[in-house]
């Protein structure tokens, strides 16, 4: 191939060395996703030149919709290289070679793998965001990728030392593998927007959390995390005797997403079942966007940020008839936090990765000089958490009122 591909130097040996397993782990913004996405397309191109046909499988543990997949990254990578752009055909929901001999398939490993493996010749499987892929998904996937010369590529941001992915690919990597660590300082194209975020995290987050996000460290529970030992991630099915569903919505503006959540209460536990969110979501598209992800939402009361009355009345007339504003009061954030902490556990469904992320990152301010944890809530990583507070507002208000008026026992 004549074209010179631009790769971060640390990843050159990964792709230059023949090996069945290739991978990279490390912090945010290192160029892992972008590079691996591009190289899947280069790999497909090379296999096609050798006369092969089949599937490039891009897997995730869970995939509710194509939005949760690597589709956009793959499209972007292909468009960035003229020879790839000429070779592939890109549709809204698909990517395939122009002769249709090679196609990308995007799938959740937990639920969709069985249906794929009977059908397709998998030439390559790339799993991005692989930290949460379970041992059972790996042990099912690996024998499925069995074509001659097929490969398995893995990229992830480490979180738990004993996660299935970390054990398999970092602590005891398979023979025939080349797996490297990549952090933002290994990315020659680390963009300014991410540098701004990094600096803001360096200023606002405690060091353990900062190092987890940006330097690829395992995540340690920190005293600064507001919900540190309250939340767990676990699959569940809501039952008839649960209270709810409670829906909450937080409007976004500028770089903040508009987000919504669906939650339940049962046996002193709070369950977060579904979430949806998007940056730059137009008001006219909001109801459809949310209803595609939370089908029943229009039948329930949805509690929303009262700062945007005109948006609420628009949504009320266009698709979400029962939406209503939630009033704030002095201390409503702290009351909301106290209420959330009063649950025995907060159980987050693993498909709600964005919610889970906020629960990890939502923190008290830490004093830079002394390391003291201050009684100040950092106003960041709180879009879904705000939506949860709105959803539960009638339950929280009791707390606010109890503070304002002497407690009366009936
Ligand atoms: N080959 C490249 N050319 C141009 N920009 C790149 C390239 N690789 C990475 N970047 C920039 O770096 C950013 C972070 O890369 P990404 O692959 O998302 O990192 P990670 O997956 O490690 O978090 C991208 O959004 C992009 O702006
Ligand atoms: Mg990535």
């Amino acid at each position: 191939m004549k074209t010179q591909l631009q790769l971060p130097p640390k990843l050159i040996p990964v792709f230059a060395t023949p090996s069945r397993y290739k991978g990279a782990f490390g912090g945010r913004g290192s160029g892992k996703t972008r590079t691996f996405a591009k190289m899947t397309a280069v790999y497909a191109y090379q296999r096609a030149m050798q006369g092969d046909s089949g599937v490039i499988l891009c897997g995730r543990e869970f995939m509710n919709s194509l939005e949760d997949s690597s589709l956009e990254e793959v499209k972007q990578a292909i468009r960035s290289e003229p020879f790839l752009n000429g070779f592939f055909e890109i549709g809204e929901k698909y990517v395939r070679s122009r002769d249709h001999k090679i196609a990308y398939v995007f799938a959740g490993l937990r639920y969709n793998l069985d249906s794929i493996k009977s059908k397709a010749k998998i030439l390559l499987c790339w799993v991005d965001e692989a930290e949460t892929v379970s041992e059972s998904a790996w042990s099912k996937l690996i024998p499925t990728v069995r074509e001659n010369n097929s490969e398995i590529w893995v990229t992830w941001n480490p979180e738990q030392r004993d996660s299935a992915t970390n054990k398999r690919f970092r602590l005891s990597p398979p023979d025939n593998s080349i797996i490297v660590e990549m952090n933002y300082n290994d990315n020659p194209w680390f963009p300014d927007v991410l540098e701004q975020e990094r600096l803001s995290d360096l200023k606002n987050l405690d060091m353990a959390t900062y190092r987890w996000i940006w330097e690829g460290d395992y995540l340690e529970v920190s005293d600064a995390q507001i919900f540190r030992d309250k939340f767990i991630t676990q699959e569940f099915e809501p039952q008839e005797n649960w209270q709810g569903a409670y829906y909450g919505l937080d409007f976004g503006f500028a770089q903040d997403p508009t987000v919504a959540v669906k939650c339940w209460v049962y046996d002193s536990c709070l369950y977060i079942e579904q979430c949806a969110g998007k940056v730059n979501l137009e008001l006219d598209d909001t109801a459809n966007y949310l209803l595609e992800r939370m089908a029943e939402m229009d039948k329930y009361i949805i509690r929303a940020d009262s700062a945007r009355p005109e948006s609420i009345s628009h949504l009320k007339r266009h698709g979400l008839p029962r939406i209503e504003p939630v009033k704030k009061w002095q201390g409503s954030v702290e009351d909301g936090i106290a209420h959330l902490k009063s649950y025995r556990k907060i159980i987050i469904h693993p498909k709600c990765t964005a919610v889970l992320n906020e629960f990890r990152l939502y923190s008290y301010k830490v004093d830079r000089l002394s390391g003291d944890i201050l009684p100040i809530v950092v106003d960041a990583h709180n879009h879904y958490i705000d939506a949860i507070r709105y959803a539960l507002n009638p339950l929280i208000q009791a707390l606010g009122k109890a503070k304002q008026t002497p407690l009366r026992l009936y």
Side-chain angles (χ1 to χ4, degrees):
M1 201 188 319
K2 296 248 168 52
T3 328
Q4 268 285 287
L5 284 171
Q6 299 277 317
L7 300 188
K10 256 196 165 171
L11 288 176
I12 291 172
V14 173
F15 293 104
T17 316
S19 51
R20 171 164 164 82
Y21 297 95
K22 300 183 186 342
F25 59 87
R28 187 151 179 236
S30 70
K32 298 186 292 298
T33 298
R34 180 70 66 90
T35 308
F36 276 75
K38 188 186 286 186
M39 293 310 290
T40 61
V42 172
Y43 181 90
Y45 178 90
Q46 289 170 335
R47 294 292 301 250
M49 295 302 123
Q50 294 160 12
D52 295 322
S53 59
V55 156
I56 308 293
L57 174 63
C58 296
R60 290 280 166 98
E61 177 75 0
F62 289 102
M63 198 187 100
N64 301 315
S65 71
L66 278 172
E67 269 174 45
D68 303 333
S69 76
S70 307
L71 173 65
E72 281 311 315
E73 288 285 352
V74 167
K75 285 185 183 177
Q76 211 178 333
I78 290 174
R79 289 190 178 120
S80 73
E81 296 288 342
F83 81 98
L84 294 175
N85 212 15
F87 175 71
F88 286 101
E89 184 179 294
I90 297 181
E92 194 195 340
K93 298 191 168 164
Y94 66 86
V95 176
R96 64 189 175 214
S97 62
R98 291 188 191 267
D99 62 9
H100 295 198
K101 287 192 175 147
I102 295 202
Y104 275 86
V105 170
F106 301 89
L109 300 174
R110 179 79 67 103
Y111 297 124
N112 312 132
L113 189 59
D114 290 327
S115 64
I116 300 157
K117 68 178 184 195
S118 49
K119 282 192 231 131
K121 243 172 87 172
I122 301 171
L123 303 176
L124 166 67
C125 175
W126 170 42
V127 186
D128 193 20
E129 308 284 356
E131 167 71 20
T132 53
V133 174
S134 58
E135 181 51 33
S136 79
W138 284 126
S139 56
K140 239 197 304 180
L141 172 71
I142 288 170
T144 305
V145 186
R146 58 174 177 250
E147 289 300 314
N148 260 346
N149 300 323
S150 58
E151 297 191 9
I152 293 173
W153 297 357
V154 190
T155 40
W156 78 103
N157 293 34
E159 183 179 324
Q160 311 287 341
R161 168 178 280 275
D162 63 352
S163 75
T165 300
N166 205 66
K167 285 200 284 202
R168 255 182 194 274
F169 295 105
R170 183 174 176 184
L171 302 183
S172 31
D175 294 342
N176 206 358
S177 67
I178 174 158
I179 292 164
V180 298
E181 176 161 7
M182 289 282 293
N183 288 307
Y184 70 91
N185 40 3
D186 299 311
N187 177 2
W189 306 279
F190 185 60
D192 196 47
V193 273
L194 286 184
E195 175 63 2
Q196 297 310 321
E197 273 190 50
R198 187 184 73 80
L199 292 174
S200 141
D201 283 352
L202 184 61
K203 199 165 101 199
N204 292 316
L205 299 177
D206 63 286
M207 282 320 284
T209 311
Y210 169 83
R211 289 203 185 102
W212 168 57
I213 300 177
W214 294 101
E215 295 182 355
D217 282 12
Y218 300 120
L219 179 63
E220 291 165 42
V221 176
S222 139
D223 287 344
Q225 275 176 294
I226 295 177
F227 296 113
R228 57 204 186 98
D229 35 25
K230 263 296 150 198
F231 66 94
I232 52 171
T233 152
Q234 193 176 295
E235 283 174 88
F236 58 82
E237 281 289 336
Q239 305 294 315
E240 290 232 328
N241 56 349
W242 290 17
Q243 308 299 311
Y246 306 107
Y247 288 89
L249 185 151
D250 189 29
F251 292 106
F253 53 92
Q255 276 315 295
D256 291 344
T258 292
V259 307
V261 293
K262 176 186 183 189
C263 40
W264 303 83
V265 172
Y266 173 68
D267 193 23
S268 308
C269 291
L270 173 65
Y271 291 84
I272 316 295
E273 186 199 353
Q274 290 182 333
C275 73
K278 194 173 159 120
V279 178
N280 292 329
L281 183 59
E282 296 288 336
L283 199 52
D284 279 332
D285 303 331
T286 300
N288 275 344
Y289 177 85
L290 294 176
L291 285 167
E292 270 172 29
R293 286 155 186 85
M294 302 187 202
E296 301 258 275
M297 195 172 182
D298 52 345
K299 302 187 179 65
Y300 287 77
I301 294 179
I302 302 158
R303 296 191 164 86
D305 184 352
S306 64
R308 302 274 289 272
E310 71 300 336
S311 301
I312 292 180
S313 69
H314 180 97
L315 291 179
K316 212 174 171 63
R317 284 177 279 117
H318 299 97
L320 301 177
R322 300 188 68 193
I323 190 166
E324 60 175 53
V326 165
K327 287 221 177 59
K328 301 180 189 187
W329 61 91
Q330 181 75 31
S332 55
V333 171
E334 289 73 12
D335 286 348
I337 291 173
H339 177 79
L340 293 178
K341 282 187 175 175
S342 75
Y343 289 100
R344 234 169 4 96
K345 275 273 174 273
I346 298 171
I347 296 133
I348 302 169
H349 197 284
K351 68 191 173 191
C352 300
T353 47
V355 176
L356 192 58
N357 243 351
E358 287 199 354
F359 271 84
R360 289 177 182 131
L361 296 180
Y362 198 39
S363 315
Y364 295 112
K365 198 167 162 47
V366 177
D367 182 77
R368 277 286 139 220
L369 299 179
S370 61
D372 293 351
I373 294 163
L374 305 171
I376 299 168
V377 175
V378 178
D379 184 18
H381 310 294
N382 51 3
H383 309 299
Y384 291 92
I385 289 175
D386 283 351
I388 294 168
R389 283 197 298 110
Y390 302 143
L392 300 175
N393 187 61
L395 290 67
I396 298 170
Q397 278 226 318
L399 215 98
K401 286 204 187 94
K403 268 202 209 157
Q404 282 154 22
T405 52
L407 191 61
R408 272 179 294 175
L409 297 172
Y410 293 97

